[in-house]
Amino acid sequence: MDNFSINTDSIEHIAKVAYSKLKNIKDVKSLVKYKKEFLGDNSQLTKFSRQMRYVPDAKKPELGKLLSQTKKSIEQNYSQKYIELEKKEEKLNQQHINKYSKSSDK
């Protein structure tokens, strides 16, 4: 079992770190790394999901719900950021194409 024990504070900490890191991502390549870090097979959230069987029955509903909400929120934020970055990259590519097509017309 992981040294990082599953509790409300640790889940909320992961959510805060994920949100903070996401704000600073500027390209799709970094976003893919982010997804692996926070949603991948070796992410802390996935490890917490595996640890749920060791959580006392009285705490399972609360922690399970928070874990699920956190994961869903990170997934939604990831998807929104991906769309945003894709649009930005598409716009830059179009500007690049337009720039070079105008210069070749001369």
Side-chain angles (χ1 to χ4, degrees):
M1 207 156 71
D2 209 313
N3 289 337
F4 207 143
S5 65
I6 182 171
N7 59 49
T8 303
D9 290 340
S10 59
I11 295 170
E12 289 173 350
H13 175 74
I14 290 170
K16 287 177 187 173
V17 171
Y19 181 73
S20 176
K21 282 190 174 188
L22 187 65
K23 289 191 308 185
N24 296 316
I25 291 177
K26 305 291 184 213
D27 57 68
V28 173
K29 185 177 178 182
S30 298
L31 188 62
V32 170
K33 288 180 184 178
Y34 168 89
K35 183 178 182 182
K36 186 176 181 180
E37 179 180 353
F38 290 99
L39 299 169
D41 291 342
N42 292 317
S43 70
Q44 196 61 50
L45 287 178
T46 301
K47 290 175 183 177
F48 282 169
S49 293
R50 291 182 193 131
Q51 289 179 3
M52 282 300 291
R53 65 182 143 186
Y54 302 111
V55 172
D57 289 342
K59 290 190 173 202
K60 279 185 183 179
E62 175 192 0
L63 290 177
K65 183 177 180 181
L66 181 59
L67 191 59
S68 178
Q69 288 172 338
T70 300
K71 186 174 180 180
K72 186 175 182 177
S73 176
I74 291 171
E75 288 170 343
Q76 288 173 339
N77 290 336
Y78 164 84
S79 295
Q80 289 172 348
K81 186 73 167 191
Y82 186 84
I83 291 167
E84 174 190 319
L85 291 175
E86 281 286 305
K87 285 180 182 177
K88 247 185 219 180
E89 287 185 9
E90 187 177 303
K91 185 178 178 181
L92 286 173
N93 287 337
Q94 191 60 46
Q95 288 173 347
H96 183 74
I97 290 168
N98 290 342
K99 178 181 175 182
Y100 284 100
S101 66
K102 286 179 184 178
S103 65
S104 66
D105 289 343
K106 293 181 179 182

